């Protein structure tokens, strides 16, 4: 089968046994170094993506993907907004809500977000009913002024189901003594556990109609939306606001959790850059092996030059040979990274059993097992970076080979 001469010679150099065994050792070390770097990088980014997805899902299971609220005043036409939203095929569910900051008082005092919800429609946008550990969400009946607390919040306040808490809300009312915050006593009818400390300690739920009465509102704060594809949350919410023909504030989950969202992405990016240095170390070994190979093949290069091979052809010979080493290392690394990621939880279990330790305590991380999420984009990016580094590592040795002078190389042969 016909092959270009530089490719044929490069492949022959790759298969041939070397007179200098140390060069072969360095070449194998280069392959292993690149493979190790790719394997570690794929596994690490998969674990970080898994943790990011786990944290995101835990936050979003108790809140909406997006919200549409009136600009500084109650939304009176929320029923119409829900009707318009549910007709959009991108929307999985919609429900009204009232939200206000408040101070809850029991044995101790704790600030929290108090949300008024419609228990009948809440399941369309969150899994609050499934997270109830005591009581039921159906106990939030209009006129009874019941409240549901997160587990951590209830422990901090020192209350349980059947106890009372006093809510001091960030809404003032005029009294003969001047402006005073609205205060209302609620009865704890249930406790939930979302698995996120931010939610379990900072959010409480009550009936929407009760909150309307306490705050003397004629409407709700806004409408919460759950999407089939959460990445389209802002676009769908904006389209809904435009269709309602008014001034509305649109917010999605990336804005509500902006600090956490950006810190997780930055963490993953920085970790990817740092671990890419392992691949770079393999590429440096590749430079060393290629330089030594060029020195070892001085006579062969001189003969090829005298037979008419151009300097560019000589350069291509060693670029092919070095690039193939990088390709083999990258392929081995991708296979190893995928295999390690798929079996990582099993390996973690074996380590815990062998040393009788718990690497991921559930009471600290709120998770069971080691979450992983291999993303095709990450694997493609890592593969491209490894191949580019390998290709770049061949340029200088190949350039040195192209500068070889036949007369000087053959002088002592």
């Amino acid at each position: 089968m016909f092959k270009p001469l530089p490719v044929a010679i490069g492949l022959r150099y790759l298969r041939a046994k070397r007179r200098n065994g140390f060069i072969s050792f360095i070449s194998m070390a280069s392959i292993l170094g690149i493979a190790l770097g790719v394997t570690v990088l794929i596994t690490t980014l998969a674990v970080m993506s898994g943790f990011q997805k786990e944290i995101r899902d835990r936050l979003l299971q108790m809140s909406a993907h997006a919200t549409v609220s009136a600009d500084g005043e109650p939304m009176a036409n929320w029923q119409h907004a829900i009707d318009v939203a549910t007709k959009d095929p991108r929307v999985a569910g919609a429900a009204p809500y009232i939200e206000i900051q408040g101070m809850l008082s029991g044995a101790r005092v704790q600030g929290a977000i108090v949300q008024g919800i419609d228990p009948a429609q809440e399941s369309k946008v969150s899994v609050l009913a499934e997270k109830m550990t005591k009581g039921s969400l159906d106990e939030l009946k209009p006129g009874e002024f019941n409240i549901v607390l997160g587990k951590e919040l209830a422990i901090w306040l020192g209350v349980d189901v059947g106890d009372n808490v006093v809510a001091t809300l960030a809404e003032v009312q005029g009294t003969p003594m001047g402006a005073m915050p609205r205060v209302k006593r609620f009865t704890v009818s249930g406790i939930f556990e979302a698995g996120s400390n931010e939610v379990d300690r900072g959010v409480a739920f009550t009936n929407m109609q009760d909150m309307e009465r306490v705050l003397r509102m004629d409407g709700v704060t806004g409408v919460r939306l759950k999407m089939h594809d959460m990445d389209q949350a802002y676009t769908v919410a904006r389209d809904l606001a435009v269709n309602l023909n008014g001034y509305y504030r649109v917010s999605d989950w990336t804005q509500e959790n902006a600090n956490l969202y950006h810190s997780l992405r930055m963490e993953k990016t920085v970790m990817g850059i740092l671990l890419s240095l392992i691949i770079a170390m393999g590429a440096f070994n590749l430079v060393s092996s290629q330089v030594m190979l060029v020195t070892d093949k001085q006579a062969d290069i001189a003969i090829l030059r005298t037979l008419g091979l151009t300097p560019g052809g000589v350069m291509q010979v060693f670029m092919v040979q070095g690039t193939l080493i990088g390709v083999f290392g990258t392929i081995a690394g991708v296979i190893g990274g995928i295999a390690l990621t798929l079996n990582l939880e099993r390996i973690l279990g074996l380590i815990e059993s062998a040393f009788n330790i718990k690497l991921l305590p559930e009471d600290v991380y709120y998770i069971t097992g080691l979450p992983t999420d291999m993303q095709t984009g990450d694997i493609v990016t890592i593969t491209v970076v490894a191949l580019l580094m390998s290709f770049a590592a061949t340029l200088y040795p190949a350039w040195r080979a192209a500068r070889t002078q036949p007369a000087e190389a053959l002088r002592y042969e």
Side-chain angles (χ1 to χ4, degrees):
M1 182 177 178
F2 173 77
K3 283 182 287 191
L5 183 61
V7 176
I9 298 174
L11 291 174
R12 184 173 180 81
Y13 277 173
L14 190 65
R15 296 192 306 266
K17 293 182 179 180
R18 307 269 170 76
R19 289 176 296 175
N20 189 339
F22 187 66
I23 299 177
S24 299
F25 172 78
I26 293 295
S27 298
M28 184 58 64
S30 302
I31 294 176
L32 293 177
I34 294 172
L36 178 63
V38 172
T39 298
V40 171
L41 193 51
I42 288 176
T43 304
T44 302
L45 293 187
V47 171
M48 296 194 72
S49 296
F51 271 104
Q52 182 176 331
K53 184 176 183 294
E54 186 77 15
I55 293 172
R56 183 189 66 190
D57 291 347
R58 285 181 179 271
L59 286 175
L60 294 182
Q61 67 184 354
M62 297 296 292
S63 60
H65 294 162
T67 60
V68 177
S69 57
D71 190 15
E73 58 183 21
M75 179 186 285
N77 62 335
W78 61 269
Q79 285 282 11
H80 174 65
I82 290 180
D83 292 339
V84 173
T86 52
K87 292 178 182 178
D88 193 323
R90 298 170 295 178
V91 177
Y97 77 102
I98 296 175
E99 183 174 286
I100 191 169
Q101 295 280 351
M103 296 290 293
L104 300 181
S105 304
R108 286 186 288 266
V109 179
Q110 174 67 33
I113 297 174
V114 182
Q115 289 192 358
I117 61 173
D118 183 352
Q121 302 188 61
E122 185 62 20
S123 61
K124 298 177 182 179
V125 295
S126 76
V127 294
L128 177 60
E130 301 173 14
K131 298 298 180 179
M132 299 295 297
T133 57
K134 292 184 179 180
S136 171
L137 198 62
D138 295 332
E139 295 297 321
L140 296 181
K141 299 177 181 178
E144 296 188 3
F145 293 97
N146 291 331
I147 194 169
V148 171
L149 305 177
K151 179 181 178 181
E152 299 292 333
L153 181 58
I155 292 174
W156 178 258
L157 295 176
V159 297
D160 205 341
V161 174
D163 295 335
N164 293 326
V165 295
V166 177
T168 304
L169 305 175
E171 175 76 18
V172 296
Q173 60 180 336
T175 68
M177 299 179 62
M180 299 288 290
R182 296 188 184 275
V183 180
K184 182 62 182 179
R185 185 183 301 273
F186 290 91
T187 301
V188 179
S189 62
I191 295 175
F192 67 87
E193 183 176 9
S196 170
N197 187 66
E198 182 178 347
V199 177
D200 288 342
R201 188 165 180 170
V203 182
F205 298 93
T206 186
N207 187 277
M208 186 178 70
Q209 295 183 30
D210 290 345
M211 285 298 291
E212 283 185 285
R213 290 176 59 184
V214 173
L215 299 176
R216 301 177 187 270
M217 291 177 62
D218 184 17
V220 299
T221 301
V223 173
R224 295 191 294 166
L225 305 174
K226 183 178 181 180
M227 315 299 174
H228 292 293
D229 182 3
M230 67 175 65
D231 292 330
Q232 294 184 349
Y234 184 81
T235 302
V236 176
R238 183 190 59 195
D239 293 344
L240 174 60
V242 171
N243 292 333
L244 293 178
N245 297 321
Y247 294 99
Y248 296 94
R249 181 177 180 271
V250 175
S251 178
D252 70 339
W253 63 276
T254 61
Q255 295 172 340
E256 296 292 337
N257 305 282
N259 291 336
L260 177 63
Y261 179 68
H262 290 305
S263 65
L264 290 174
R265 290 191 62 182
M266 180 63 70
E267 221 174 88
K268 181 179 176 181
T269 302
V270 172
M271 187 63 69
I273 293 173
L274 293 177
L275 291 178
S276 296
L277 296 178
I278 301 178
I279 303 177
M281 290 174 61
F284 278 120
N285 286 335
L286 180 57
V287 173
S288 302
S289 67
Q290 290 298 100
V291 169
M292 296 178 68
L293 178 63
V294 169
T295 303
D296 188 58
K297 298 293 184 181
Q298 288 287 317
D300 293 359
I301 297 170
I303 293 171
L304 290 172
R305 288 293 308 278
T306 57
L307 291 175
L309 189 64
T310 64
V314 173
M315 191 172 181
Q316 291 175 31
V317 168
F318 290 94
M319 288 177 64
V320 168
Q321 197 263 352
T323 301
L324 286 175
I325 290 177
V327 170
F328 292 152
T330 303
I331 292 175
V334 170
I335 295 173
I338 294 174
L340 179 61
T341 303
L342 294 176
N343 295 280
L344 194 58
E345 192 165 353
R346 187 179 305 171
I347 295 172
L348 184 67
L350 292 175
I351 294 174
E352 291 179 340
S353 300
F355 296 97
N356 195 25
I357 57 175
K358 195 69 175 177
L359 297 177
L360 293 173
E362 297 176 12
D363 56 342
V364 175
Y365 294 98
Y366 289 97
I367 60 174
T368 56
L370 184 64
T372 57
D373 180 25
M374 272 194 301
Q375 298 182 358
T376 304
D378 289 342
I379 296 176
V380 171
T381 301
I382 293 168
T383 302
V384 171
V385 169
L387 292 175
L388 288 177
M389 285 187 177
S390 302
F391 177 77
T394 65
L395 294 178
Y396 175 72
W399 177 74
R400 283 282 304 273
R403 294 186 63 195
T404 300
Q405 299 298 324
E408 292 182 6
L410 295 174
R411 179 178 299 174
Y412 303 104
E413 292 293 331

